[in-house]
Amino acid sequence: MIGRTESCASGQIPMTYLSCLAYMLEEWTGVEYLEKYFFHVVIFSLMMSAILVFFIVPLTILFFIYLTNILLLIYQRNSEVKADPLSDVWDNARKTVASFWDIYARIWHGYELHGVENLPEGPGILIYYHGAIPIDYLYFLSRLFLWKKRLCLSVADHFVFRLPGLKLLLKVTGVMPGTREECLSALKNGHLVSISPGGVREALFSDESYQLMWGNRKGFAQVAIDAKVPIIPMYTQNVREGYRMFKERRFLRQLYESTRLPITPPYGGIPVKFRTYIGEPIPYDPNITTEELVEKTKTAVQALIEKHQTIPGSIWKALLDRFDKKQKSD
């Protein structure tokens, strides 16, 4: 009888390449019946590789976020910093963190920021569209701090504060739960405050149509009226082409509505072009109602989307935008 290895080499017995490889591995490893399971191992390996490709960039971003927090802890310990995380004492650390993320933004997404002149010198509320991953917003915070040395406080979902190991990073970058009192206090102290009314729901269930999913949220408008500050719309081009969520399913939507936890992982990380556009401010009007201000703000954000975004979004076009030297006007 011709040996397995010989049959592979001589071709006397027709065999598939996988069978030959399995026989050879049996000879080398001494493991019997490897061929029986080899096909399943290959399929499993291919599936895991595909999953890794889908999620490697989001996981890398998560890794860098945690690494940033670790570096801040080291800085705090070595420098014996005990000051308020929002104080200027932390500016050197903020500059280092912002520089890292700005370099990442330039390399991976060719990031651009337009319309900074529309930001008020004093307090104001930034309202923006929430992508599957708000990495574009992190780019914006970094570029703003490097350009203007200005910290924009951010309202985040409550689940963010339950994530382990991010406490110092959240404090130093000005992330807060966003109660009415906290927002009013921040605005009173002259800060910019950013809010995404769509929040996690918009991140999970909006898609390449860039539909705003604000529901009945109007607290931001009431805060703007009470604080007598302008609202500034903001939008990042191609944010849904860079990172996406799986198609909405009824049971996933029901699960989110009952738990309010982001149960669907994002995927992608495609190096498409990101451009953040800051629109003209909506000035404080003592005669406007909360409902009217919500609609006015929604119209302003939608106008930015319609002006700067191809709908439905196209990954291919978003990639080609990396080579488009012509910038759309602010």
Side-chain angles (χ1 to χ4, degrees):
M1 181 176 178
I2 300 173
R4 291 173 174 176
T5 306
E6 293 176 357
S7 67
C8 288
S10 65
Q12 296 181 35
I13 300 176
M15 303 182 73
T16 66
Y17 289 114
L18 284 179
S19 296
C20 284
L21 183 56
Y23 288 150
M24 293 171 67
L25 287 174
E26 281 187 25
E27 292 289 332
W28 293 342
T29 62
V31 178
E32 296 183 359
Y33 308 114
L34 185 60
E35 182 189 9
K36 181 178 179 181
Y37 305 103
F38 188 68
F39 178 76
H40 301 287
V41 171
V42 170
I43 295 299
F44 177 77
S45 299
L46 291 174
M47 288 177 60
M48 292 304 296
S49 299
I51 291 172
L52 189 62
V53 169
F54 268 113
F55 298 109
I56 187 64
V57 176
L59 288 173
T60 300
I61 291 172
L62 185 62
F63 169 77
F64 282 144
I65 289 173
Y66 272 94
L67 180 62
T68 301
N69 190 79
I70 292 171
L71 294 176
L72 287 175
L73 287 170
I74 294 173
Y75 173 81
Q76 183 184 44
R77 182 175 180 179
N78 291 344
S79 304
E80 297 182 353
V81 179
K82 297 181 180 179
D84 180 359
L86 291 180
S87 68
D88 295 342
V89 175
W90 286 91
D91 277 355
N92 287 335
R94 287 194 192 94
K95 184 177 180 181
T96 301
V97 171
S99 297
F100 168 79
W101 284 108
D102 191 60
I103 291 171
Y104 185 94
R106 290 175 186 273
I107 294 173
W108 198 251
H109 289 295
Y111 182 69
E112 297 175 10
L113 176 59
H114 302 276
V116 177
E117 66 277 5
N118 290 325
L119 294 175
E121 293 295 328
I125 297 179
L126 269 165
I127 300 296
Y128 64 98
Y129 173 84
H130 201 303
I133 296 179
I135 187 67
D136 60 304
Y137 177 69
L138 180 55
Y139 296 165
F140 159 73
L141 291 178
S142 301
R143 187 71 57 88
L144 179 66
F145 188 80
L146 293 175
W147 281 5
K148 301 292 184 179
K149 201 178 179 181
R150 190 171 187 184
L151 186 63
C152 178
L153 305 191
S154 313
V155 173
D157 194 275
H158 291 291
F159 93 89
V160 173
F161 301 93
R162 297 199 292 268
L163 295 173
L166 294 178
K167 185 176 181 180
L168 182 59
L169 177 62
L170 296 177
K171 287 184 176 180
V172 171
T173 53
V175 180
M176 58 184 183
T179 63
R180 180 178 179 277
E181 291 72 23
E182 285 178 307
C183 291
L184 287 174
S185 175
L187 293 167
K188 184 179 179 180
N189 291 328
H191 288 291
L192 285 172
V193 175
S194 63
I195 303 172
S196 174
V200 177
R201 182 181 290 105
E202 195 166 85
L204 293 176
F205 304 115
S206 185
D207 54 24
E208 59 271 21
S209 67
Y210 289 86
Q211 177 186 2
L212 297 177
M213 304 185 74
W214 293 8
N216 195 36
R217 293 185 175 179
K218 52 188 179 182
F220 72 90
Q222 188 59 57
V223 169
I225 292 172
D226 292 343
K228 300 180 180 180
V229 298
I231 288 179
I232 307 95
M234 185 170 73
Y235 170 72
T236 299
Q237 181 187 49
N238 298 325
V239 66
R240 281 281 166 183
E241 277 54 71
Y243 304 87
R244 289 189 171 183
M245 288 289 183
F246 294 102
K247 293 295 183 181
E248 179 182 348
R249 295 292 184 267
R250 181 178 298 179
F251 78 94
L252 291 176
R253 183 64 177 267
Q254 291 174 345
L255 187 59
Y256 166 73
E257 297 298 346
S258 61
T259 64
R260 292 306 173 94
L261 293 174
I263 35 71
T264 307
Y267 68 92
I270 301 170
V272 300
K273 183 71 174 181
F274 275 7
R275 294 188 181 102
T276 294
Y277 293 95
I278 302 172
E280 294 184 2
I282 302 170
Y284 166 69
D285 181 356
N287 299 315
I288 199 170
T289 65
T290 302
E291 290 75 16
E292 289 171 339
L293 185 54
V294 170
E295 288 304 314
K296 198 169 185 179
T297 305
K298 186 179 290 187
T299 299
V301 175
Q302 191 65 54
L304 286 177
I305 294 173
E306 293 174 359
K307 181 178 181 180
H308 300 292
Q309 183 64 54
T310 300
I311 299 177
S314 166
I315 293 177
W316 178 244
K317 185 180 184 305
L319 283 169
L320 292 178
D321 284 344
R322 293 292 300 265
F323 307 99
D324 183 11
K325 300 300 181 183
K326 288 186 177 181
Q327 302 175 1
K328 295 187 177 182
S329 59
D330 292 355

